[in-house]
Amino acid sequence: MSKFSVVILTLTFIGCQTNEIKIAQPKAEKIVIAHRGASGYLPEHTLPAKTMAYAMGADFLEQDIVLSKDNVPIVIHDIHLETVTDVAIQFSNRKREDNRYYVIDFTFEELKQLNVSERFDPLTNKAIYPNRFPLGKSSFKLHSLQEEIELIQGLNKSTGKNIGIYPEIKDPVFHLKEGKDISKIVLNILTKYGYKNKKDRCILQCFDANELKRIRTELKSELFLVQLMEFKEEETRLEEFSKYADGIGPWIQQIIIGKNKDGTWQISNLVSNAHQLHLKVHAYTFRADQLGDFSSFDELLNVALYEANIDGVFTDFPDKVVKFLNKN
């Protein structure tokens, strides 16, 4: 009998006697994406919110990108300014006919003059999430994609970590109508900072399927691409998405669709269908202060990550997701 056989028999005997030897099944890697930074604690898309999310252990930090008048990529969620800044006070005469203030109408230097706050309703001046960072307190500013990349890469150097970026091309059709090719500008910056292919810690996302396909085919990007999804009818397009994208980013309610009569959660086939096409699934948005029918944030995370088997979460509370994953 070989030494290998003796070892196997010994382990088998011990296992039968004590029932202590168990082979653990490895869990698939789950990633934490800081949605607009640690936006549950600090105003979204500010450098302090990104720094906090970095310290909380997120795997990726998200950057929504809109162009300024002078073609600087600005990290802000919308093409408009009035829901997160004091633009209506500082530049009251710069709104368009629809009464909106557009990022693209301001130079980078002008945008840097604005004060950033927690998201609010400009009609009532009340915070969208009243229990988050108080409106009008402290000092926060807008910044460029380059500034954020340099912050993250600087922290990677000083901490020895390798936290990634997760930029989103916002409203490319709007930018093209304004005479600007936002995707080309952003890709050039990403390349300059060393984000070139799937091995680099950069995931590029967009809701516009035509634009994301263009990024892959016409602009020849080799980055990891994620097709964001919002509508149920898009679920029939997974095979099409798989031709150019590496993953999908659906709304969580496209995955967890309700409760059965016995109290268990109904899970759609979206994740399993995507996995069959080798697409990763990063779902949005997980908020501890917006739970819906879930009894706790942990319950929501457990259903999404383990019952539905998604691969990653966009969350305003990266610390809570990191803590949940570490104990499960």
Side-chain angles (χ1 to χ4, degrees):
M1 184 180 292
S2 69
K3 292 182 179 179
F4 178 77
S5 299
V6 171
V7 171
I8 293 297
L9 285 174
T10 303
L11 288 175
T12 302
F13 175 75
I14 293 174
C16 291
Q17 290 292 100
T18 65
N19 198 32
E20 290 180 356
I21 293 181
K22 297 179 181 179
I23 301 175
Q25 296 298 318
K27 292 180 180 178
E29 181 184 6
K30 309 289 186 180
I31 68 168
V32 180
I33 306 143
H35 181 249
R36 312 179 200 174
S39 55
Y41 304 101
L42 287 166
E44 65 184 53
H45 282 319
T46 58
L47 290 180
K50 300 303 172 70
T51 305
M52 188 175 192
Y54 189 104
M56 286 176 166
D59 299 296
F60 288 85
L61 308 185
E62 184 193 36
Q63 303 80 31
D64 293 311
I65 303 168
V66 178
L67 292 182
S68 69
K69 186 175 183 178
D70 46 351
N71 294 327
V72 177
I74 306 300
V75 180
I76 185 171
H77 183 261
D78 305 309
I79 60 174
H80 310 110
L81 289 160
E82 67 274 5
T83 58
V84 291
T85 76
D86 62 350
V87 65
I89 297 173
Q90 293 202 45
F91 297 97
S92 60
N93 63 337
R94 298 280 292 275
K95 59 187 175 182
R96 293 194 182 186
E97 291 182 359
D98 61 359
N99 291 320
R100 307 297 301 270
Y101 296 85
Y102 287 77
V103 176
I104 208 166
D105 292 336
F106 296 81
T107 66
F108 183 41
E109 287 304 313
E110 289 175 326
L111 291 167
K112 290 175 74 173
Q113 297 175 38
L114 300 176
N115 295 304
V116 176
S117 69
E118 182 66 37
R119 181 170 289 274
F120 64 95
D121 183 338
L123 296 177
T124 64
N125 288 321
K126 292 185 177 180
I128 301 300
Y129 298 99
N131 294 321
R132 295 190 180 184
F133 200 90
L135 289 176
K137 302 296 183 181
S138 194
S139 177
F140 303 96
K141 296 290 184 177
L142 294 173
H143 63 275
S144 68
L145 174 63
Q146 297 96 311
E147 288 173 319
E148 182 161 334
I149 289 175
E150 290 178 4
L151 170 69
I152 294 168
Q153 291 189 345
L155 285 169
N156 281 341
K157 181 178 180 180
S158 62
T159 65
K161 297 178 182 179
N162 191 18
I163 305 305
I165 64 173
Y166 208 128
E168 179 185 343
I169 303 293
K170 301 296 291 191
D171 212 334
V173 172
F174 167 81
H175 283 89
L176 285 174
K177 288 179 180 178
E178 297 286 329
K180 299 181 185 296
D181 191 339
I182 184 173
S183 295
K184 187 175 289 186
I185 291 171
V186 169
L187 285 172
N188 286 340
I189 291 172
L190 294 178
T191 298
K192 175 185 174 182
Y193 282 93
Y195 302 108
K196 301 176 181 178
N197 55 52
K198 292 184 180 68
K199 294 181 181 179
D200 301 317
R201 295 284 283 176
C202 176
I203 298 176
L204 185 62
Q205 57 178 331
C206 188
F207 275 103
D208 189 318
N210 291 330
E211 187 68 9
L212 198 66
K213 185 176 181 180
R214 172 178 175 256
I215 288 170
R216 177 70 83 207
T217 55
E218 180 184 330
L219 301 182
K220 307 296 183 183
S221 175
E222 298 179 10
L223 291 171
F224 192 106
L225 301 183
V226 165
Q227 178 63 63
L228 295 171
M229 300 170 60
E230 186 176 8
F231 305 108
K232 184 170 179 59
E233 52 266 29
E234 293 173 309
E235 297 174 22
T236 64
R237 301 176 64 188
L238 290 184
E239 188 168 355
E240 173 193 345
F241 296 158
S242 70
K243 303 299 182 184
Y244 60 85
D246 304 286
I248 58 171
W251 186 30
I252 186 59
Q253 291 190 29
Q254 293 176 277
I255 297 170
I256 305 172
I257 56 179
K259 268 190 174 182
N260 296 305
K261 291 181 179 180
D262 61 1
T264 58
W265 289 97
Q266 295 177 4
I267 309 296
S268 75
N269 294 324
L270 181 58
V271 177
S272 58
N273 290 341
H275 285 167
Q276 288 178 12
L277 292 166
H278 307 290
L279 291 167
K280 294 291 186 180
V281 181
H282 301 160
Y284 66 89
T285 305
F286 289 73
R287 296 183 170 106
D289 53 0
Q290 196 177 56
L291 292 175
D293 293 330
F294 288 91
S295 61
S296 68
F297 195 47
D298 278 7
E299 182 191 13
L300 169 59
L301 293 172
N302 185 68
V303 174
L305 287 163
Y306 297 121
E307 292 186 32
N309 195 31
I310 66 172
D311 303 291
V313 301
F314 287 89
T315 180
D316 295 4
F317 299 87
D319 59 325
K320 295 181 183 297
V321 184
V322 169
K323 181 179 179 181
F324 174 82
L325 289 172
N326 286 340
K327 70 181 182 182
N328 286 280

